[in-house]
Amino acid sequence: MESSSAATVSAGPGPGPAPVELLRRLRARGAADPVTHVERVPARAGVPAPWPSWAPTELRAAFARRGVVAPWQHQAEAATLAYEGQHVVVATGTASGKSLAYQLPALATLLADPRATALYLAPTKALAADQLRAVAALELEGVRPACYDGDTPRTEREWIRRHSRFVLTNPDMLHHGILPGHAQWSGFLRRLAYVVIDECHTYRGVFGSHVAHVLRRLRRQCARFGATPVFVLASATSGDPATAAGRLTGLPVTAVTEDASPRGGVTFALWEPPLLPPDSSSSSPVPPQATGDGSSPPAPSQATGDHDELRQVRRSALRETADLLADTVAEGVRTLAFVRSRKGAEVVAANARRALDDAVPGLGDRVAAYRGGYLREERRELERALLHGDLLGLASTNALELGVDLVGLDAVLICGYPGTRASLWQQAGRAGRSGQEALAVLVARDDPLDTYLVHHPEAIFGAPVEATVLDPANPYVLAPQLACAAVEAPLTPADLALFGEGAKEAVDELVAAGALRQRPTGWYWRHRERPEVDLRGEGGAPVAVVESSTGRLLGTVDGGSSHFLLHSGAVYLHQGVSYVVDQLDLADGCALVHAEEPDWSTHARDVTDLSVVSVRSYVDAGPVGMFLGEVDVTSQVVSYQRRRIATGEVIDTRPLDLPTRELRTVAVWFTLSPQSLALAGVQPADVPGALHAAEHAAIGLLPLMATCDRWDIGGLSTALHPDTEAPTVFVYDGHPGGAGFAERAYGTAAAWLRATRDAIAECGCETGCPSCVQSPKCGNGNNPLSKPDAIRVLDVVLSNLPA
């Protein structure tokens, strides 16, 4: 939960050197200055407001005991709108006290009406648990807050259903537990006054589309019991939050966006690690007819490992961040380092501990890693240790971006652009205790987008935060959600309007498939079992990682990433220990591993085929065509490379026999005539490398335009595609039915490809590197690639495409 008051009390050490002085010392470490830009975000005074007249004295006193003497203006405005019955989203910065905006009306109503109930939804269990502590600390008689999630003991669930009036849960439990058991929840749902949706900007893409329909199913059940709850949403600063919240809930939503909370000043530095001598080792080129950047890559938990980055042109962002973390801790500065992957967080923490122990034995104990996969008790202990100053440094995945109240840090290091400006500001906002000055540093990875951003600071500091992209009309989401609704209660024609565009067509398809039976009173589910619907689109059930010799469960990997991370022979990292996979049993959902510390890392390679199903829209620009439509993507992991950790040298390539995967999704693609390429100076033999390089860079830069990460999207390029009969570059959503990213790319094609072209042209390398045209997830080993010809290709597109 974010702080509801002007100050967050911390028991940690002093703030150390001032941010400007600290940054000066960090910059002085090397021969060359790694800082490309310093932005000064000024301090801001808070604008308080009086308590609303409707807020009961008992509730005001409870907040006062917690240090909240009065709300800020945006808190009072949003709370009053909600109390008056308007659906509202409060979209303000980190630590602006959004929680008070929904706690105030919900708790006031629960105190005034002893039968009223409230439901709180968070994207993670940790956030719900943190919010439970905050509400319970108010010690309000009769509210009886309780968490209801997968960790809740069955002995407590019945009590919660009968007695709790403030239930905290997540969309998954609402989908799998509460709505299917609506009869047992009838008393709670009948009296439901408020539905709180926290961190609603995280509900994007396919996950967000699923959650949108889960909320419609909730509204439908409430209406059957005679309840019409008010929805109160909290979001990080985002583009057009009212529209996004309205699309999520299916209701008209009023936005409160003027942040009236006080804020300390922030010194925000963009940091580019120094260049290293190029690595002479590389794999032999294997020029394919079609080259691709697949949409089912190694998961972020393993994709950005330190071993990979040893081969890159720039110093590893992980190593640079580890050194910075060690330096700030040595200065007595309480620091949180955000790292994009689980493996990366472990590597940063280990390297920082090692450097600190070399300088002062025992000082490394003040640094730890924090990531998903730890036991809940371990995570709570780490949070407590950081807040109380026992830990000075923490290397974390974005698990600490949301929810856990860790404001009050002196510095934040962000290892690699987190994918959206919303996440960047959310992470940077963790720095700053009690209105004091803070330091934030974005350390660029050797990646096209990161490189572009550290040399174009206006794209960060002068650009609005992205709008949240979700598509409830996605038929791959809508149909299974309608099936779930039909299990809960037969569908009626009135329900179709609630579920929106495409609902009637989806119902007709379910009837034709034999899933629903139409009767005069509605559409009925025909099967005994419920439909299996994965809200988070992780590609199937998770695969358990089990140590062969002991039978010990080490962890799990989502099904969508298992082919890349857990194939036979793969190196798997868990809590700093390396394991090698002996066997992957997809049928049983299990991977057997043994502990081993090899001197090599593994890198899976896949092949991708794509066919065009239909064209939704297109632009005819003479020799260039720009298209949006549906495609079928078939991919298969066919081999993996073993590479020396010390040098990046490829030891060998070993074949794999894994099943193919099929994906129908939405893509944006452009075609060029061979004549236009020839006139631009691209020789026929160089066309595959030119298109492949342009494809990689375009995928890397798309997150600048859409609320996505490069791991959400895939691509393919070919000198002659059988469906287009022309040189073609495809970029597609890596989710069934699409996630809205390709549509965004199509709508901003000129700006997107202009930024792509500039990123390639301005990169300082000669022949192409991970900062411009190489991809960390290329299934073809980044061959062939032609940086100069990619610029020529994009020049042809941009010179013909309308602005």
Side-chain angles (χ1 to χ4, degrees):
M1 185 192 78
E2 292 161 332
S3 173
S4 301
S5 62
T8 297
V9 179
S10 301
V20 173
E21 172 60 19
L22 176 60
L23 181 61
R24 185 194 66 77
R25 296 182 193 178
L26 295 176
R27 296 170 77 168
R29 292 183 314 140
D33 186 1
V35 175
T36 60
H37 179 80
V38 177
E39 186 80 8
R40 170 67 185 162
V41 182
R44 177 185 66 212
V47 182
W51 287 106
S53 58
W54 48 263
T57 302
E58 178 186 357
L59 184 56
R60 300 184 199 183
F63 279 120
R65 290 193 299 270
R66 303 293 297 167
V68 183
V69 295
W72 303 116
Q73 193 172 75
H74 68 279
Q75 294 172 325
E77 179 186 353
T80 298
L81 287 169
Y83 192 79
E84 292 174 349
Q86 292 192 50
H87 309 293
V88 61
V89 56
V90 54
T92 52
T94 306
S96 61
K98 293 186 285 289
S99 53
L100 183 66
Y102 54 74
Q103 287 176 3
L104 188 56
L107 294 174
T109 299
L110 266 57
L111 291 174
D113 179 358
R115 292 179 56 80
T117 61
L119 181 67
Y120 169 93
L121 298 173
T124 65
K125 293 178 184 178
L127 178 49
D130 206 60
Q131 184 68 199
L132 173 64
R133 286 193 294 270
V135 175
L138 295 173
E139 299 178 336
L140 298 170
E141 187 175 353
V143 172
R144 300 187 293 273
C147 268
Y148 189 87
D149 58 30
D151 294 333
T152 305
R154 297 206 170 269
T155 54
E156 295 180 16
R157 295 187 181 191
E158 178 64 21
W159 184 93
I160 293 171
R161 285 194 292 265
R162 290 180 175 273
H163 301 292
S164 177
R165 298 176 58 220
F166 197 119
V167 173
L168 302 100
T169 186
N170 50 64
D172 308 83
M173 197 64 177
L174 180 60
H175 165 64
H176 289 292
I178 295 176
L179 289 175
H182 57 82
Q184 296 173 296
W185 287 87
S186 59
F188 182 89
L189 295 175
R190 184 174 289 111
R191 304 189 300 271
L192 189 59
Y194 289 94
V195 177
V196 175
I197 305 173
D198 208 354
E199 304 290 2
C200 67
H201 62 283
T202 62
Y203 299 123
R204 60 180 177 86
V206 169
F207 179 42
S209 303
H210 273 295
V211 173
H213 287 298
V214 172
L215 295 177
R216 284 157 176 79
R217 286 162 50 203
L218 173 64
R219 289 174 52 205
R220 177 174 178 252
Q221 290 301 326
C222 288
R224 293 180 68 236
F225 293 120
T228 55
V230 173
F231 282 74
V232 187
L233 302 94
S235 170
T237 304
S238 64
D240 200 2
T243 298
R247 189 176 295 121
L248 184 64
T249 61
L251 295 163
V253 179
T254 302
V256 174
T257 58
E258 291 297 324
D259 192 338
S261 63
R263 181 184 66 194
V266 178
T267 300
F268 203 135
L270 304 184
W271 187 289
E272 186 174 42
L275 285 166
L276 295 175
D279 181 12
S280 59
S281 64
S282 63
S283 57
S284 58
V286 184
Q289 173 64 24
T291 51
D293 195 30
S295 64
S296 299
S301 61
Q302 302 280 329
T304 55
D306 196 52
H307 301 160
D308 291 357
E309 300 194 24
L310 290 173
R311 301 178 65 247
Q312 297 186 350
V313 175
R314 291 195 176 274
R315 191 168 189 262
S316 160
L318 291 176
R319 291 191 171 183
E320 195 81 349
T321 302
D323 285 353
L324 290 172
L325 180 59
D327 289 343
T328 56
V329 168
E331 295 275 0
V333 174
R334 193 159 56 184
T335 307
L336 177 60
F338 282 107
V339 188
R340 290 168 56 93
S341 71
R342 293 181 179 187
K343 179 180 178 180
E346 296 275 6
V347 168
V348 167
N351 285 352
R353 283 194 297 262
R354 189 179 303 115
L356 288 166
D357 282 335
D358 287 344
V360 181
L363 189 56
D365 294 339
R366 306 290 299 275
V367 175
Y370 182 107
R371 63 170 178 82
Y374 288 169
L375 297 176
R376 178 165 47 176
E377 294 76 14
E378 291 177 301
R379 293 198 301 269
R380 297 296 92 82
E381 175 57 26
L382 288 168
E383 294 158 14
R384 186 209 62 76
L386 184 65
L387 280 171
H388 289 269
D390 300 332
L391 284 177
L392 279 178
L394 204 59
S396 171
T397 61
N398 63 0
L400 285 183
E401 180 181 321
L402 305 175
V404 179
D405 189 8
L406 288 181
V407 292
L409 301 164
D410 303 312
V412 165
L413 308 173
I414 303 170
C415 181
Y417 183 62
T420 65
R421 285 181 289 271
S423 288
L424 181 73
W425 288 111
Q426 189 87 343
Q427 293 178 2
R430 290 295 181 191
R433 67 165 89 184
S434 304
Q436 295 181 6
E437 296 286 315
L439 175 67
V441 180
L442 171 62
V443 181
R445 295 174 63 243
D446 216 351
D447 171 272
L449 181 55
D450 286 34
T451 302
Y452 180 86
L453 289 173
V454 295
H455 291 286
H456 293 80
E458 71 279 0
I460 294 176
F461 302 108
V465 177
E466 307 89 345
T468 302
V469 177
L470 66 146
D471 180 17
N474 180 341
Y476 288 81
V477 172
L478 180 53
Q481 286 291 336
L482 283 168
C484 292
V487 175
E488 293 154 8
L491 293 167
T492 67
D495 292 329
L496 302 186
L498 172 65
F499 287 96
E501 178 188 350
K504 181 61 170 66
E505 293 79 1
V507 165
D508 290 342
E509 290 181 6
L510 290 169
V511 171
L516 295 181
R517 174 183 288 120
Q518 186 171 8
R519 291 178 176 171
T521 53
W523 291 274
Y524 288 72
W525 181 247
R526 297 187 60 181
H527 304 294
R528 184 186 298 270
E529 68 282 355
R530 287 179 51 82
E532 293 185 5
V533 178
D534 177 11
L535 295 191
R536 297 179 185 263
E538 293 177 336
V543 175
V545 183
V546 177
E547 189 172 28
S548 302
S549 59
T550 65
R552 180 168 64 104
L553 176 66
L554 298 176
T556 60
V557 170
D558 65 89
S561 302
S562 60
H563 289 212
F564 289 86
L565 301 182
L566 298 177
H567 59 78
S568 297
V571 175
Y572 175 80
L573 186 66
H574 180 79
Q575 295 189 356
V577 179
S578 291
Y579 297 83
V580 174
V581 178
D582 299 314
Q583 178 185 357
L584 172 61
D585 188 334
L586 292 170
D588 289 339
C590 177
L592 299 177
V593 304
H594 68 271
E596 184 180 341
E597 294 286 342
D599 64 350
W600 39 263
S601 58
T602 53
H603 308 264
R605 305 181 71 178
D606 65 343
V607 294
T608 302
D609 291 318
L610 182 150
S611 60
V612 175
V613 177
S614 65
V615 175
R616 293 184 184 176
S617 181
Y618 70 94
V619 175
D620 185 348
V624 172
M626 180 67 64
F627 299 83
L628 177 71
E630 287 190 328
V631 296
D632 279 336
V633 181
T634 302
S635 62
Q636 182 180 22
V637 175
V638 295
S639 63
Y640 69 98
Q641 287 183 340
R642 295 192 306 162
R643 300 177 189 167
R644 298 281 182 202
I645 290 174
T647 65
E649 172 195 0
V650 176
I651 301 171
D652 57 20
T653 298
R654 299 189 171 190
L656 292 169
D657 183 19
L658 289 167
T660 59
R661 292 181 165 181
E662 296 182 357
L663 172 74
R664 176 161 293 188
T665 187
V666 178
V668 58
W669 65 94
F670 61 82
T671 61
L672 307 96
S673 71
Q675 295 82 2
S676 66
L677 291 175
L679 288 173
V682 182
Q683 300 300 315
D686 297 327
V687 169
L691 298 177
H692 194 197
E695 171 217 327
H696 280 181
I699 288 173
L701 269 292
L702 182 53
L704 196 64
M705 306 295 166
T707 312
C708 68
D709 185 270
R710 82 178 297 151
W711 305 100
D712 291 324
I713 48 185
L716 182 137
S717 55
T718 176
L720 180 64
H721 193 274
D723 294 333
T724 65
E725 299 182 341
T728 309
V729 171
F730 293 89
V731 175
Y732 57 86
D733 294 350
H735 300 276
F741 309 136
E743 285 93 333
R744 181 68 175 162
Y746 180 77
T748 61
W752 166 43
L753 296 177
R754 171 62 62 188
T756 301
R757 189 257 180 222
D758 291 347
I760 300 173
E762 294 169 5
C763 184
C765 70
E766 293 184 10
T767 60
C769 69
S771 295
C772 56
V773 298
Q774 291 183 9
S775 168
K777 59 174 189 162
C778 180
N780 300 93
N782 284 297
N783 283 303
L785 292 175
S786 174
K787 173 182 175 176
D789 286 324
I791 297 172
R792 297 185 182 100
V793 163
L794 292 168
D795 282 340
V796 172
V797 175
L798 291 166
S799 63
N800 288 279
L801 196 66

